[in-house]
Amino acid sequence: MSLPALVEPAAELTIDEVRRYSRHLIIPDVGMTGQKRLKNAKVLVIGAGGLGSPALLYLAAAGVGTLGIAEFDTVDESNLQRQVIHGVSDIDKSKAVSAQESIAEINPYVKVVLHEERLDNDNVYDVFRGYDLIVDGTDNFATRYMVNDAAYFLGIPYVWGSIYRFDGQASVFAPTLADDAPCYRCLYPEPPPPGMVPSCAEGGVLGVLCASIGSIQVNEAIKLLTGMGEPLVGKLMIYDGLEMEYRKLKVRKDPNCALCGENATVTELIDYDTFCGAVSEEAADAAADATISVATLEGMLKERADGTRDFVLVDVREPNEYEINKIPGSVLIPKGDFLNGSALEQLPADKQIVLQCKTGVRSAECLAIVKGAGYADAVHVGGGVVAWVNQIDPSQPSY
């Protein structure tokens, strides 16, 4: 569906701006008026990571007058494989500040506003207010639902993107701009079960995929701000990088949507962490009194080495993760084997089972399965191999 431009044109472009944006100005659909709209636009980008990096770079290059950056994290070496707005000299620096510095190199005419805080129910309205459009580059479901709900309550449209390994998705949610426009909850009424969809930190992402989806988000943002073309309102763009295929699906407004439906039940911000859940209730219950620290595990391994204790340490990550780093003395049985039941056949009945993964989420899910199979004394390692590398063996690489 076509939508009117979100932004009124600025009064003028300077001679320097005309030179800078000349390739836009000679496109009839953009022209002087469209570029003035971009100059007058205020866009908030949530996250300066995988999707936020290309989005911020191209929004700045396009001449969006004010760019807000909502980002609380610092640059890590593992970010540089895909977060192209940062460089080696930015490691340990605030991502928001690093992004601001890169934007200044690309386009000094862009005003950058930093929001160096984690978005939550207490600050999200204050951060969002005053922006014409939001570009969502978040990577977890709790924040995505919060962004959707807060944007809806404030009447701000937003461009959404998601990436995982070789696959990406993008859409535009603007239920306050058109009666038949869906919101994120129309597409995904409920979050996936805890642990069902790995994060990029667990499952990985091809770096260049960020540019593929981030550029789609910027394309949609420019269309919305200037009133050009047909934005992805009521449509879901799906990209398969391995097969090099794009598919576009219709997304209809759900009349029973909890947020924008006829009888809405979500009328204010909710507890999104509880709504999405990092782990299932079963996993949380299983881990409540059965979580050990990496320091405790180190002591247990020493006892096993001198023969005063016996147990099996099981790593439930994937084989490619196990190749990166590992806790010495562990055996690999991926989480999928626990889900299909085959792992139980590999576990001894006369030894304590100790489970670990990258951070403790997957191992908690597997712990629930193991305890349900009768291994009452089974435990899992809080913090997983990440905590092991940070606290016990920093000679190993992290990821």
Side-chain angles (χ1 to χ4, degrees):
M1 65 179 70
S2 297
L3 293 173
L6 285 177
V7 182
E8 291 299 316
E12 62 178 3
L13 298 180
T14 66
I15 293 176
D16 289 340
E17 287 172 329
V18 170
R19 283 196 293 261
R20 174 178 288 270
Y21 306 125
S22 61
R23 297 303 185 272
H24 272 179
L25 300 178
I26 59 178
I27 301 174
D29 304 81
V30 182
M32 190 67 72
T33 299
Q35 194 63 48
K36 288 180 179 179
R37 293 186 194 278
L38 293 176
K39 180 179 181 177
N40 214 24
K42 297 179 181 179
V43 177
L44 174 68
V45 177
I46 305 176
L51 290 175
S53 288
L56 286 165
L57 291 173
Y58 274 106
L59 286 168
V64 171
T66 300
L67 279 176
I69 305 174
E71 175 62 81
F72 64 92
D73 203 0
T74 56
V75 179
D76 180 81
E77 188 174 11
S78 66
N79 300 150
L80 304 184
Q81 162 259 7
R82 63 201 179 280
Q83 299 179 17
V84 294
I85 204 167
H86 313 296
V88 173
S89 63
D90 298 315
I91 291 175
D92 295 329
K93 182 186 293 184
S94 158
K95 282 187 180 180
V97 172
S98 171
Q100 181 183 36
E101 292 171 352
S102 296
I103 289 170
E105 283 293 307
I106 290 172
N107 192 343
Y109 300 110
V110 174
K111 176 184 176 182
V112 177
V113 180
L114 301 186
H115 305 276
E116 295 185 83
E117 54 191 324
R118 184 191 294 270
L119 287 178
D120 57 32
N121 287 14
D122 294 329
N123 63 22
V124 65
Y125 284 153
D126 291 334
V127 172
F128 282 14
R129 283 192 181 96
Y131 288 100
D132 304 302
L133 181 68
I134 294 169
V135 175
D136 181 14
T138 57
D139 62 356
N140 67 86
F141 289 100
T143 308
R144 287 172 185 167
Y145 280 99
M146 181 181 66
V147 168
N148 177 74
D149 295 357
Y152 175 78
F153 291 134
L154 292 175
I156 305 173
Y158 77 100
V159 184
W160 168 78
S162 175
I163 50 176
Y164 178 68
R165 291 186 175 170
F166 301 97
D167 302 319
Q169 300 179 358
S171 188
V172 172
F173 299 112
T176 57
L177 297 184
D179 291 339
D180 56 347
C183 75
Y184 181 76
R185 286 180 180 269
C186 295
L187 178 61
Y188 296 114
E190 299 286 341
M196 183 64 67
V197 180
S199 67
C200 290
E202 292 181 343
V205 61
L206 188 69
V208 72
L209 179 69
C210 302
S212 300
I213 301 303
S215 63
I216 290 176
Q217 290 182 279
V218 174
N219 188 65
E220 293 306 301
I222 291 173
K223 287 158 60 179
L224 288 163
L225 295 170
T226 62
M228 292 191 301
E230 294 273 344
L232 286 174
V233 176
K235 302 165 191 169
L236 175 66
M237 180 65 75
I238 301 175
Y239 173 62
D240 182 337
L242 279 183
E243 299 296 330
M244 193 47 66
E245 289 183 349
Y246 286 92
R247 290 186 295 148
K248 191 160 60 175
L249 306 179
K250 287 186 177 181
V251 180
R252 301 189 183 280
K253 183 181 180 71
D254 181 2
N256 298 313
C257 176
L259 181 72
C260 67
E262 298 170 0
N263 299 295
T265 56
V266 177
T267 57
E268 60 184 5
L269 300 180
I270 64 173
D271 185 337
Y272 296 96
D273 289 330
T274 299
F275 176 63
C276 295
V279 297
S280 66
E281 291 185 14
E282 294 80 6
D285 291 342
D289 299 312
T291 301
I292 64 171
S293 68
V294 290
T296 299
L297 176 62
E298 183 185 30
M300 292 172 61
L301 288 170
K302 290 177 180 177
E303 292 175 353
R304 189 173 73 171
D306 63 25
T308 59
R309 186 166 192 159
D310 199 10
F311 64 93
V312 177
L313 176 60
V314 180
D315 190 323
V316 304
R317 296 177 298 160
E318 295 301 309
N320 54 313
E321 294 178 89
Y322 195 69
E323 292 177 357
I324 298 173
N325 57 22
K326 60 178 69 69
I327 298 178
S330 62
V331 296
L332 179 66
I333 306 178
K335 177 186 172 183
D337 291 351
F338 286 88
L339 296 177
N340 65 31
S342 63
L344 299 177
E345 301 172 1
Q346 306 175 54
L347 300 179
D350 58 346
K351 296 181 181 180
Q352 183 185 22
I353 306 301
V354 180
L355 302 166
Q356 54 93 182
C357 63
K358 181 179 180 180
T359 61
V361 175
R362 282 174 282 178
S363 59
E365 298 290 345
C366 294
L367 181 65
I369 296 172
V370 169
K371 282 185 170 290
Y375 292 86
D377 62 346
V379 296
H380 89 121
V381 182
V385 74
V386 168
W388 180 269
V389 171
N390 289 338
Q391 300 176 35
I392 308 298
D393 185 9
S395 67
Q396 292 198 62
S398 190
Y399 68 101

